[in-house]
Every structure is written in structure tokens, then in C-alpha cells.
Amino acid sequence: MTSGFFIRLGFFFIFAVIVVANSVAETIEEKRSRAEKLIQRLENKYLSNEVPAILQKLEKNELSMSVINAFALEQRLIIQSDLRNNALSLHRFGGSSSKVTNKFFYRLVVNEMSASEQLPVLIQALNISKSQITKYRPLAGAQAYPAYTAWLANYAQPAEIAAALLINFQSFGKNIGRMAKALKQYRGLSDSQLEFLINFSTLPSDFREQAIAIVAKGLASGVSESDIETRVRLIQVYEADFWGALSSVD
């Protein structure tokens, strides 16, 4: 009888483990589905088809070189800032038990390091001198973006950062993809000279999937959809400010 009791107890324990495991799996699947729906909603809401005024001029070959040069010099400052910001995010979250989170922030640092090597090639192709670099005065509107990404690196949660960058990289990538085509057509620049623009024009492989996984993990830990949307909304406002500020140079 004692043997039968322990056998029944064992079966009950196994059944309980299976039930709990299925419950956890369902919860994870539900959170991922919720994260996907959230990202889709944010993409629909904050990814605009509007083309910045300076790009419209560039595509008509009506944009002065001073604006193109200003773009490159503003990006020079932004990359320096974002490299430090991403390194800080990696420092904050690189020790996470989540491999996806580790890889996501590590790749951000690696990509910015690559960008810091590619941008000088574009600057040289645009014939921007060292004197011009030294004398250049950054635009407040253009530098609002890196100021905000510095805030994100210091205070935001991984889910907030991942969502904000996922949306923003798509927006920025679309614009600089158009810029690369126009500079190649009207200014005769080669793909190697435009590598900075071309590489940023598309999302890295699996970037979206990683961001969604991080958002799902954040939602499961209590990060609110409202906070995530706030980060997305603000970074997109500062993205628009960047292009708007450049218009003042023309």
C-alpha cells in the first residue's frame, strides 16, 4: 500500500510539473504575441511615409553641398555619442541572463564601431576639410537625438530601448537609403564611399526579432506599454527635429 501511495504521488508530481511548464510556456507565448502586436501598432503609428524636405531637394538635385556636409558632420558627433551610449547600455544589461539581450546590446556597440570607421570615408568623399570639421558648430535640433539616446542608455529599461531603436532605425534607414541613391546619381559617389549610408539603410539580420523578444521579456517583468510607446514617440520626434534642423542650413 505504501508503494502504491508513492507511485500515485510520483504521477501527481509529474503531472503538476507538466501543468506548470505548459502554463509558463503559454505565458511566454502570450507575452511574445503581445509584444509583436505592440511593435506592429507602434510601427503603423510612428513610421511615416513623409520624406524630409532636404531629401526631396536632394532627389531633384537642388540641395546645396553645405546641407550634405552638415549632415555628415552632425552624424560624426552623433556616432561618437551613440557609441558611448551603447557601450553604457551594454555595461548595464550585458550581464543579463538573457542571451538575446546580451547579443542585442553587444551588436549595437559593434555596429557603431563600424559606422565610426565608415563615416570618415564619406566625409573625405564630400571633400570636407579638417578645418571645416574643426570650425563646424553643431545644430541644437540635430543634437537633440543623441541627447535623448544618452537618457535612454542611463535610465530606460531594455524593452524601452529596443522598441525605440527598432522603430527609429527603420525611419532613419529609409531616409539615408534615399540619400545614398541620390548622392550616387547626382554626385557620382561610389558604393564604397557611401558604405555608411548603405549599411544603415536596412535593419541588421534578426534585429527585429531580437527587439520583440526583449520587449516581450520587458512586458513580462512589468514594463508598461505606455512607457515603451513614450520612448518611441520621443525618439521619433527628435529624429524629425534632426532633419528639420538641417533644413535651416540651406
Side-chain angles (χ1 to χ4, degrees):
M1 182 172 179
T2 302
S3 175
F5 170 77
F6 282 112
I7 290 174
R8 289 195 297 272
L9 182 63
F11 279 128
F12 175 78
F13 176 75
I14 293 172
F15 176 76
V17 169
I18 292 174
V19 170
V20 171
N22 287 338
S23 176
V24 171
E26 288 173 358
T27 300
I28 292 173
E29 188 60 32
E30 288 171 357
K31 293 299 183 185
R32 180 166 184 86
S33 176
R34 183 181 165 197
E36 288 178 344
K37 290 178 181 177
L38 173 61
I39 291 300
Q40 288 172 1
R41 179 171 65 81
L42 295 176
E43 287 173 335
N44 291 335
K45 187 173 182 179
Y46 293 104
L47 287 179
S48 170
N49 291 323
E50 183 177 352
V51 180
I54 67 167
L55 290 184
Q56 294 181 44
K57 286 188 176 182
L58 179 60
E59 290 176 332
K60 296 176 183 177
N61 198 23
E62 297 174 353
L63 191 67
S64 69
M65 284 302 300
S66 61
V67 181
I68 300 172
N69 290 354
F71 167 86
L73 294 176
E74 293 291 343
Q75 284 299 316
R76 178 176 174 270
L77 298 173
I78 289 173
I79 287 174
Q80 292 173 0
S81 176
D82 280 353
L83 179 56
R84 291 190 291 268
N85 295 338
N86 290 329
L88 175 57
S89 293
L90 179 61
H91 174 72
R92 289 182 65 200
F93 308 119
S96 168
S97 58
S98 169
K99 291 183 179 180
V100 173
T101 302
N102 295 341
K103 290 180 180 179
F104 182 86
F105 287 104
Y106 175 76
R107 181 160 62 174
L108 287 177
V109 173
V110 171
N111 288 348
E112 289 296 339
M113 290 178 68
S114 296
S116 68
E117 296 174 354
Q118 295 159 0
L119 183 59
V121 177
L122 176 61
I123 289 176
Q124 183 177 14
L126 295 173
N127 296 315
I128 300 174
S129 68
K130 290 183 178 179
S131 175
Q132 286 175 291
I133 294 174
T134 302
K135 293 178 180 179
Y136 184 75
R137 295 295 177 261
L139 303 167
Q143 292 301 311
Y145 172 91
Y148 186 62
T149 54
W151 186 95
L152 290 175
N154 277 278
Y155 302 111
Q157 294 301 308
E160 297 172 294
I161 298 173
L165 295 184
L166 172 61
I167 304 300
N168 182 252
F169 283 4
Q170 293 180 73
S171 177
F172 182 68
K174 179 195 69 175
N175 287 332
I176 63 172
R178 299 178 74 121
M179 176 177 280
K181 290 179 181 179
L183 288 176
K184 186 174 183 178
Q185 179 179 357
Y186 295 116
R187 310 291 173 167
L189 272 62
S190 66
D191 285 349
S192 60
Q193 292 172 317
L194 295 167
E195 189 176 11
F196 169 78
L197 300 178
I198 294 171
N199 284 355
F200 268 109
S201 66
T202 57
L203 287 176
S205 174
D206 297 332
F207 189 87
R208 190 173 189 275
E209 290 73 14
Q210 287 183 344
I212 289 174
I214 294 171
V215 170
K217 186 177 179 64
L219 293 174
S221 67
V223 178
S224 73
E225 291 190 15
S226 176
D227 284 345
I228 291 173
E229 180 167 357
T230 295
R231 309 307 163 219
V232 170
R233 177 176 59 82
L234 289 177
I235 202 169
Q236 288 301 89
V237 170
Y238 296 132
E239 173 73 16
D241 287 347
F242 170 81
W243 295 103
L246 289 174
S247 296
S248 66
V249 178
D250 195 13

